Amino acid sequence: MINYYYRKIKLSLFVFTLLSLNLFPNTLLPKIVDNSLWVKSTSILDSSSVDSVFNFAVKNNINKLFYQVRYRGDALYNSNLVPKHEKLDSLFDPLNYILQKTDSTDIEIHAWFNTYILWSSDKKPIDGNHLYFNCDQCFEVDLNGKSDISIPLHQIHSKSWEGIYLSPLNPDVNTHLLNVVNELISNYKIHGIHLDYIRYQDNFYGYNQYGLNEFENQYSINPIDLKRGIISERFGYSKSYVDSMNTNWEKFKSSKITEFVRSIKYLLLSNSLDLKVSAAVKPDILEAKYRWYQDWESWINEDIIDFCVIMNYYDNFEKYNNINRIINSKNLNKDKISIGISVFNQNQTEISNKILLSRFEGFKKFALFPYELEKDTINWYESIYNTLNFYID
């Protein structure tokens, strides 16, 4: 494994030499077809900030912006269904502003929609119309029966805690989210919906009462009894029965996420809208499926999603490349795969090396996370985009 790592490093150094001498054969380095960038809410709170994002996109040949429209149950646009982002001027509409600026360009605006995460501040929302206050049964519940709505926000939480989540098992939640998306696509000429946090917070969540009742009505057992060992061989149940019920429960939780993704696709089709559906997903296929119930491989194969952005944020070179090898081993359609790379935990050389090696392996779509004005100001991104945009015609 170590020898493999060093061979890759030597290869990347060789590639950079060829690049500098303009001697690299284009047949070995496919042209980038999607040069995408995530733009967070903090980068679009006023017109001058959006201008900076736009200028950066033009300068670096970026053709897709994953532009945040929903951060924590709010709207960075004009909505009648959800309150506006708390730090946003009530008169400013960042989504409308960027759409106007990009209207005569080839830059696509994909509405970045944080789906099930609802809140993560240490203080409650200011606006009383926020869903946080208005649907006690809508929240995620863990294996011990603790609802996210009961979590004291001001207390210190574990490092793995991300925030307050809505439950994918509650039909009212998914209806609400679908209505929010419908309002968005009806009022704005965007190019796509980019779903993020389209998952459970972790595998010990997913015990909202609505889901428990539905599963029990279907299989005549309570999933909590199953997970606590009451439904087990020790109490007279056969191993095959216990195993099958565990499998059914895992599939049940996963199906609720998949059903919602499918409903987004059907919503666009029913409105005859040529919009793309994409999702930011956990990078390891098996872990995504069995820990977060995010079965993105099936979304691709079922064609209910146009592409997935694999959040391959590992700074470790070997871990990063292992994710790409797994994807390649699955023979997934690379037209439906974009490699997401983080800029917050590694330097430009590390990022450029990863991009080059991914291009060697046939990947042609990339997304950087995130845009930061401070880095833009000092041209921090320059060498990375030289690597992304390099191509010999």
Side-chain angles (χ1 to χ4, degrees), residues 198-264:
I198 183 74
R199 56 180 175 82
Y200 297 85
Q201 181 160 192
D202 216 323
N203 61 358
F204 54 88
Y205 287 93
Y207 293 87
N208 183 280
Q209 192 61 50
Y210 280 83
L212 298 181
N213 292 343
E214 182 180 346
F215 188 85
E216 188 166 10
N217 287 337
Q218 187 172 351
Y219 294 102
S220 300
I221 67 166
N222 188 317
I224 292 180
D225 292 340
L226 185 66
K227 290 301 178 182
R228 289 179 175 173
I230 296 174
I231 308 295
S232 66
E233 292 179 77
R234 188 175 64 165
F235 292 101
Y237 296 91
S238 68
K239 183 178 185 303
S240 61
Y241 178 80
V242 175
D243 289 345
S244 67
M245 286 300 104
N246 273 307
T247 298
N248 289 337
W249 175 237
E250 299 291 300
K251 288 181 177 179
F252 179 82
K253 290 172 68 175
S254 178
S255 71
K256 296 303 179 181
I257 302 288
T258 297
E259 286 171 10
F260 181 74
V261 176
R262 192 180 292 118
S263 71
I264 295 292

